[in-house]
Amino acid sequence: MIAVQEALERILTHTHRLSVEEQCLGDCLYQALAEDIIAERDIPPVSNSAVDGYGLRAEDTLIVDSSDHIVALKVVDMVPAGAISQTVIEPGQAVQIMTGASIPQGVNAVVMVEDTERSADMVFVTKRLNQGENIRAAGEDVRQGEVILKEGTLLKPACIGMLAALGKSAVNVVRRANVGIVSTGDELIELGEPVTDGRIYDYNAYSLAALIRKYYGIPVSYGIARDDRQDLAAKISTALMQSDIVMISGGVSMGDRDYVKEVLVELGAHIHFWRVACKPGRPLVFATWNNRLIFGLPGNPVSVMVAFEEFVRPAMLKAMGYSSLQKIAIWAELKEDIHKKPGRTHFMRGKLKRQGERFFVSFTGEQGSGILSSMVRGNCLIHVPQHVSSLSKGNKVLVQILDVEEVPQEDDQSLQEENIKLMPGGT
Ligand SMILES: Nc1nc2c(c(=O)[nH]1)N[C@H]1C(S)=C(S)[C@@H](COP(=O)(O)OP(=O)(O)OC[C@H]3O[C@@H](n4cnc5c(N)ncnc54)[C@H](O)[C@@H]3O)O[C@H]1N2
Ligand code: MOO
C-alpha cells in the first residue's frame, strides 16, 4: 500500500499534455491557451468619453468655483458613440458627447450632463474640470504589441471577453480530456429499468460524469459490464480506443468476481499501483496503456467520488494543460472530536461554515463509503493525516473545499450591516 502523495506523484509522472486544437471563442471556457496572444491594436482604439456630457477645454472652466460662477459655452456639435467628429473646438465652445464616443480635437475634458444646464445651443457648466477628466485614453486598457494572454492561461470569462475585444473568434487551446466511464457489477441496472430484488441503479456513472463535466472534461459512458471477464474486457477495450482517460467503477477489491486488475493485465496495460493508504479509496488501481490513463476506482459511491477528486481530477487537469492542480484548501476549526486508526489518510465529509473571520467544520454524519448522502450534505473534505489517531474539538484541520458556492457565511456582522445599508430606507 502506498501513501496518498506517492500515488499522486506516480499518476502525474505518467500524465502528459493532450494535443492542441483550434476552438471557437464560444466553446473554449476554462480550456488552457496553447499560444501567446499579442494585441494587434490598442484598446480602446481611440480616446473616448467616460460619461454622457459635454466635451470642452478644461481651461474654459477655470472661473467656475465655489462662489456661484458658472461658464457658458456654445455647443457646436453632437458626437454619438461610434462616430468620429471632424469638429475642432475653439475657446468658449463645447460638443455634446455620449459615453464611448471619440474625443474631438481641442477637447481635453468632459463634464457630466448632471453638472450642466442646457438652453438652446448654449450649455452652462457648473463644475470646474481638470485636464483629462472623464476621458479614457487610447490604449489605456491594452497596448498594441503587448502579450496580453500567455500560453498556459486558463480561459476564464474575462479572458474570453478580452479575446473578443481583440477580434479573435478562435484560438489554439489544449483540448479537453475525453473520459470514458465503465461501471461493473451484476447488481447494477440502468435508470428506467425495473428494480428487481437486490438490484441498484448504476449511479456512480452519473456522479462521475457530473464530476468530469464540473472540471471541463468530456464524459462518455460505456455502460455496465457484468461480472464477467469477456464483457469487462470488451467494454474497457472500446473505452480505451476512444478515450484519453478511462475510469472503471467497482471490481477492484478482494471479491472472487473483482476482475478489473486481471483484465487490465490481459489487455496489456501496465499496472503502476493498487491500494493507497487512504479512506475512502484504498483499493484504487492506476494503470496505463498506450499513453491512456486508467483508474480502477473502488465501487462504493463515496469512494468513487473522493478517489476522483484526489487522484483523477489532478491528472485530468494536467492533461488539459492546467498548471494549478490542487483544490483550494483552508484551515478550519473542528466542531467535534475525531478518532481514527493511524495508517491511512482520511478524507471525511464535512460541512464548512464561515462565522465572522473564522471557519468551522463539522461532520455530515455517518461516514461509511456507501453513504452518498454524506456527500450530498457536505461541501468539503476534511483531510486527516495518515499518522494522526485523534484530533479534538477546536483543533485546526485542513479542509478541501468541494463546492465553494455552498459555503455559508453566517453571523457576519459586517455583511449584515452592509445588507441593511443596501435595503431601501437603510442608512
Ligand atoms: N476483503 C476485503 N473486502 C473489501 C475491501 C478489502 O480491502 N478487503 N475493501 C472494501 C472497500 S474499502 C471498498 S471501497 C470496496 C471496493 O470494492 P470494489 O471496487 O470491488 O467494488 P464492488 O465490490 O464492485 O462494489 C462496492 C459497493 O459499491 C456498489 N457499487 C458498485 N458500483 C456501483 C455503481 N456503478 N453505482 C452504485 N453503486 C455501485 C456495490 O453495489 C457495492 O455495494 O470493497 C470493500 N471490500
Ligand atoms: O476504501 Mo473504501 O474506498 O473505504 O470504501
Side-chain angles (χ1 to χ4, degrees), residues 276 278-283 298-300 302-304 344 368-370:
V276 183
C278 61
K279 186 177 175 169
R282 176 166 57 187
N300 278 320
V302 174
S303 310
V304 277
R344 289 205 266 167
S369 304

Side-chain angles (χ1 to χ4, degrees), residues 10-143:
R10 287 199 204 175
I11 291 167
L12 294 178
T13 303
H14 292 280
T15 305
H16 307 289
R17 203 179 87 159
L18 295 170
S19 53
V20 170
E21 64 182 358
E22 194 184 47
Q23 184 71 281
C24 64
L25 208 49
D27 290 329
C28 61
L29 184 63
Y30 290 117
Q31 284 188 268
L33 198 56
E35 58 177 325
D36 285 346
I37 300 292
I38 298 168
E40 285 172 17
R41 56 182 68 87
D42 281 350
I43 301 176
V46 290
S47 297
N48 65 90
S49 176
V51 295
D52 296 317
Y54 292 88
L56 43 71
R57 296 159 13 100
E59 47 278 35
D60 284 352
T61 65
L62 280 177
I63 58 158
V64 181
D65 57 24
S66 48
S67 56
D68 285 338
H69 274 114
I70 55 173
V71 68
L73 302 172
K74 186 170 171 67
V75 181
V76 293
D77 196 5
M78 199 276 274
V79 198
I84 302 280
S85 167
Q86 301 305 325
T87 305
V88 182
I89 68 158
E90 307 288 338
Q93 294 182 339
V95 289
Q96 192 182 354
I97 194 164
M98 307 304 152
T99 304
S102 68
I103 300 292
Q105 272 188 53
V107 169
N108 60 17
V110 180
V111 60
M112 287 171 81
V113 74
E114 295 88 323
D115 296 320
T116 65
E117 272 172 40
R118 178 79 184 255
S119 174
D121 63 350
M122 297 302 286
V123 62
F124 299 94
V125 179
T126 57
K127 187 179 177 244
R128 184 176 181 157
L129 294 177
N130 296 318
Q131 285 222 0
E133 201 167 327
N134 293 327
I135 291 182
R136 302 188 288 210
E140 73 171 15
D141 186 4
V142 174
R143 280 251 161 248

